[in-house]
Amino acid sequence: MSEKLHLTPEEDFPEDLSELDDKDLQVLDSQIQRQLDYEYVAEGEPNPETEFRHYDLDEEFSERDKRD
C-alpha cells in the first residue's frame, strides 16, 4: 500500500477492506481523513466518494472491534 498522505476520489480504493491487515487499514484511514480535511477546507464540502470511503472504513473498524 502506498504511503501517500491523501487518497483522492480518483485513486484506487480496496474493494474488500477485510483483506487488509490492521496497519494498512489504519494508513488508509489516515489518508482518507486527510483527504476529507482537505476537501472541507479547499472545496467547502467533501466529495461523495471520499465520504463513502470514510463510512466503509468506519464500518470495517466496527466489525474488527466486534471480533476482538
Side-chain angles (χ1 to χ4, degrees), residues 6-33:
H6 300 136
L7 187 72
T8 66
E10 295 77 24
E11 293 177 281
D12 288 338
F13 186 80
E15 265 188 56
D16 187 356
L17 295 175
S18 68
E19 293 179 358
L20 298 176
D21 66 25
D22 288 346
K23 179 184 179 248
D24 287 341
L25 190 68
Q26 290 169 346
V27 168
L28 185 60
D29 184 55
S30 292
Q31 291 171 324
I32 295 300
Q33 187 59 55

Side-chain angles (χ1 to χ4, degrees), residues 3-62:
E3 294 294 330
K4 292 177 49 182
L5 293 179
H6 300 136
L7 187 72
T8 66
E10 295 77 24
E11 293 177 281
D12 288 338
F13 186 80
E15 265 188 56
D16 187 356
L17 295 175
S18 68
E19 293 179 358
L20 298 176
D21 66 25
D22 288 346
K23 179 184 179 248
D24 287 341
L25 190 68
Q26 290 169 346
V27 168
L28 185 60
D29 184 55
S30 292
Q31 291 171 324
I32 295 300
Q33 187 59 55
R34 286 186 183 106
Q35 183 64 28
L36 272 175
D37 293 346
Y38 169 79
E39 290 171 4
Y40 275 115
V41 171
E43 300 165 18
E45 62 184 13
N47 182 294
E49 181 64 22
T50 305
E51 270 190 319
F52 179 75
R53 291 172 173 189
H54 187 251
Y55 175 80
D56 274 356
L57 285 159
D58 284 348
E59 288 294 307
E60 180 60 28
F61 280 118
S62 291

